[in-house]
Amino acid sequence: SAANYPNTNIEDYLLGQAYTLEIKPEELEAELALMWQQGKRRTTNPNDSFRNHSTVAAVYRVLAKKKARKGFSGFDQYALLSSGVVSSYIELCKYAFFFALSDQLPLKVIPAIPTYLQTNAAYSVSERLFDTIDGNVPAVGGVLKQMVSDLGNILRNRLQHHPSEPEANRFEINDFNRLSTSENADVAKIIDGAIIWSVFHLDGVSKAFLPRNTSRPPQAQLVINRIYAPILEFSPRSRWRVNVSVRDFRELSQPEKRVRAFRRLMKSIGCETEVSEQPELPQMK
């Protein structure tokens, strides 16, 4: 209202787009059929349950083959990407309005930001916030940024190849309390810093739990902040869980063990089927 916009309902400005409108119907059908076959299922055609669970992953796969970006637009998509962090949501909206006004769109007359500009905003904010991890998280930011990049690569490969549970930005850690041991003191600082600065979100434990407590719950779930999903090209939806250990995180944080740990996790989590080419290891910027 301070900018004299007659319409102050943000949902009217953030036009959404259905996933299925990003690719051609025949492309979607072909990809769903391929995913169904890769899962070695008994029947010939995908059933409705499979379609409901796999359509988003199929859209990602078709777009990846075409080297096209996944779109992010609409109030719900921005809310999902922001992961409950208000500043991230505001920044997404700010960039979307900036791009629209830079294109001289009459938002006061037609309160609607095109989906492609919203997508541009999502990728710009995602890249900016990812690039600031090393500077924002004290002492461990550089290692943490590399870890998030590695995990993002693994999730992206799973999204592209796993036949049944492709969207799995939810890391189940069944030995979370081992972070309290002296052996894991360094990786505990990394994970604690990630939680405090919202690089990781901690699920599955009491809200009263503080990362720096010496007494930790036996298990927990870590979710990568969804704001990084566009730039790292994994799905922000956390539909399935994958099992990891404190050791996995520890070795990803150690330069002498990182490559081997990355390849091991790429094989066990990245996908169940063989990948013809091993993805290149990401490099720190």
Side-chain angles (χ1 to χ4, degrees):
S1 58
N4 296 320
Y5 279 79
N7 188 335
T8 57
N9 183 9
I10 188 62
E11 294 185 49
D12 290 339
Y13 293 91
L14 299 177
L15 295 173
Q17 182 182 39
Y19 295 117
T20 51
L21 294 180
E22 295 188 67
I23 60 176
K24 297 177 181 179
E26 57 269 26
E27 292 175 325
L28 176 61
E29 290 303 315
E31 193 62 37
L32 285 171
L34 178 61
M35 294 170 67
W36 182 263
Q37 294 167 6
Q38 289 173 339
K40 298 180 180 180
R41 297 169 176 86
R42 295 181 179 179
T43 57
T44 303
N45 298 317
N47 57 35
D48 290 341
S49 176
F50 177 81
R51 288 176 178 278
N52 291 335
H53 283 84
S54 305
T55 291
V56 174
V59 171
Y60 269 96
R61 294 183 186 192
V62 172
L63 291 172
K65 291 174 182 177
K66 299 164 66 173
K67 299 188 184 301
R69 295 191 308 180
K70 177 71 181 65
F72 294 95
S73 62
F75 176 85
D76 291 340
Q77 278 285 293
Y78 271 23
L80 176 64
L81 285 178
S82 62
S83 293
V85 180
V86 176
S87 60
S88 295
Y89 178 78
I90 292 175
E91 188 166 357
L92 287 166
C93 294
K94 181 177 69 175
Y95 270 66
F97 272 84
F98 174 77
F99 290 153
L101 294 175
S102 295
D103 282 1
Q104 299 184 340
L105 299 184
L107 294 184
K108 292 183 179 181
V109 178
I110 306 175
I113 300 175
T115 56
Y116 77 92
L117 290 179
Q118 294 182 58
T119 293
N120 289 346
Y123 279 88
S124 296
V125 173
S126 181
E127 182 174 19
R128 192 195 76 78
L129 293 179
F130 177 72
D131 284 343
T132 60
I133 292 175
D134 51 350
N136 286 346
V137 184
V140 298
V143 176
L144 175 60
K145 182 181 178 183
Q146 183 65 75
M147 181 184 290
V148 173
S149 179
D150 287 342
L151 293 173
N153 269 272
I154 292 167
L155 292 179
R156 181 179 65 211
N157 202 64
R158 185 183 181 92
L159 179 62
Q160 296 299 327
H161 298 285
H162 200 286
S164 60
E165 298 181 351
E167 298 177 89
N169 179 22
R170 188 175 296 276
F171 298 93
E172 179 84 38
I173 309 173
N174 292 318
D175 59 348
F176 192 72
N177 55 350
R178 287 195 58 79
L179 284 175
S180 301
T181 66
S182 58
E183 177 188 24
N184 294 308
D186 290 340
V187 71
K189 292 178 182 177
I190 296 170
I191 292 179
D192 288 347
I195 294 169
I196 292 169
W197 292 93
S198 293
V199 177
F200 289 151
H201 291 151
L202 186 64
D203 285 352
V205 299
S206 169
K207 292 183 179 180
F209 169 71
L210 297 176
R212 291 178 179 172
N213 283 357
T214 55
S215 178
R216 298 175 185 270
Q219 62 184 36
Q221 296 175 17
L222 288 182
V223 174
I224 300 176
N225 190 324
R226 297 173 179 89
I227 197 64
Y228 308 128
I231 197 62
L232 295 180
E233 300 179 346
F234 65 85
S235 172
R237 307 196 315 165
S238 307
R239 294 186 60 85
W240 290 279
R241 294 174 294 179
V242 291
N243 292 319
V244 293
S245 65
V246 168
R247 171 201 167 197
D248 294 328
F249 283 95
R250 184 182 71 241
E251 292 186 352
L252 279 178
S253 71
Q254 298 172 329
E256 69 279 9
K257 296 182 179 181
R258 173 181 160 256
V259 171
R260 181 176 296 180
F262 177 84
R263 289 174 175 162
R264 171 168 49 80
L265 292 172
M266 181 64 80
K267 182 177 180 180
S268 63
I269 296 174
C271 63
E272 290 182 345
T273 57
E274 289 294 327
V275 182
S276 59
E277 294 182 4
Q278 179 71 32
E280 292 183 6
L281 288 178
Q283 299 297 321
M284 289 289 290
K285 292 186 177 180

